[in-house]
Structure formats: structure tokens, C-alpha cells
Amino acid sequence: MKKISAAALLAGILLASCTPKASTVAPIGPAVSSAEQLAQGKTIFENSCGRCHKLPDPTAHTSVQWVGIMNSMAPKAKLTDEQHQWVYDYIVSVKK
Ligand code: HEC
């Protein structure tokens, strides 16, 4: 009996660790945000992303590069998954 529950526990841990976290799912393209969310993304970007370095230039990286950059910067800026998405969508919406 103990063996079975240990195996079940292990399976649970493995399953949980295989479940993708929302923050690591790559948002590709200007997908879902409404104009209001883009405006919020802009505000969050301007308030949060210039604290540790100069405010980055949204046009300096491709939308694909921004996925990786946002995955490392959103935790630094303590963004929620929603804010992460809005800021990302704002950044790629700036592309020329
Ligand atoms: C807590 C400090 C901190 C905050 C807040 C922060 N960053 Fe950064 N950022 C860093 C550091 C440190 C580096 C350089 C080292 C690295 O790449 O991890 C960096 C590097 C970068 C780079 C250069 C990466 C490259 O590959 O050239 C970009 C672009 C960037 N940050 C964007 C952002 C954006 C967008 C936000 C807001 C969501 C943000 N950062 C918020 C600390 C921060």
C-alpha cells in the first residue's frame, strides 16, 4: 500500500512539473489585448521597465526576441501573468 501511494505521489509531482506555467508560455504576435489593455501595458512598461536600466526601445528587438526578454524581465519587474501579456502586446504593437 505504501508503495502505491508513493508512486501516485511521484506521478502527481511529475504531472505537476510538466504542466506549463502561464508565464513561460510564449505569447507570439499581437494577439489578445484590447486597446485598453495595450494602454495599461504602456503604463506598466513606462513605470516598471526603466527602474533598473534605461527604458528599452520596443523597436530594438523582434517580437520573438521580446518573448525571451519578457520571460526574464517580467519576474524582475514583478508583473502578474496578465501584466506580462499586456506589456508584451504593447511592446510588439509599437513595431514600425
Ligand atoms: C529588477 C531590475 C529590472 C527590472 C525591473 C527590469 N529589468 Fe530589464 N534588465 C535587468 C538586468 C539586470 C539586465 C541585464 C542582465 C540580463 O539580461 O538579465 C536587463 C536587461 C534587459 C534588456 C536587454 C536584454 C538583451 O538581451 O539585450 C532588456 C531589453 C530589458 N531588460 C527589458 C526590460 C523590460 C521590458 C522590463 C519591464 C517588464 C524590464 N527590463 C525590467 C534588470 C531589470
Side-chain angles (χ1 to χ4, degrees):
M1 275 311 174
K2 266 189 184 146
K3 258 187 192 162
I4 291 170
S5 57
L9 189 66
L10 185 62
I13 291 165
L14 288 175
L15 264 179
S17 65
C18 288
T19 308
K21 291 196 193 81
S23 59
T24 58
V25 171
I28 300 280
V32 287
S33 293
S34 66
E36 193 181 317
Q37 288 168 337
L38 286 181
Q40 290 220 48
K42 182 175 194 284
T43 304
I44 296 163
F45 173 76
E46 287 169 351
N47 290 334
S48 309
C49 302
R51 289 211 311 262
C52 304
H53 41 63
K54 268 174 43 193
L55 202 59
D57 176 3
T59 64
H61 305 275
T62 67
S63 57
V64 173
Q65 289 170 326
W66 275 114
V67 172
I69 294 167
M70 283 302 294
N71 280 342
S72 60
M73 291 299 142
K76 285 195 203 293
K78 301 197 163 50
L79 303 187
T80 66
D81 288 349
E82 268 191 326
Q83 292 171 331
H84 178 165
Q85 181 70 52
W86 298 339
V87 171
Y88 176 81
D89 288 345
Y90 161 68
I91 286 171
V92 297
S93 80
V94 174
K95 301 239 122 244
K96 12 139 209 186

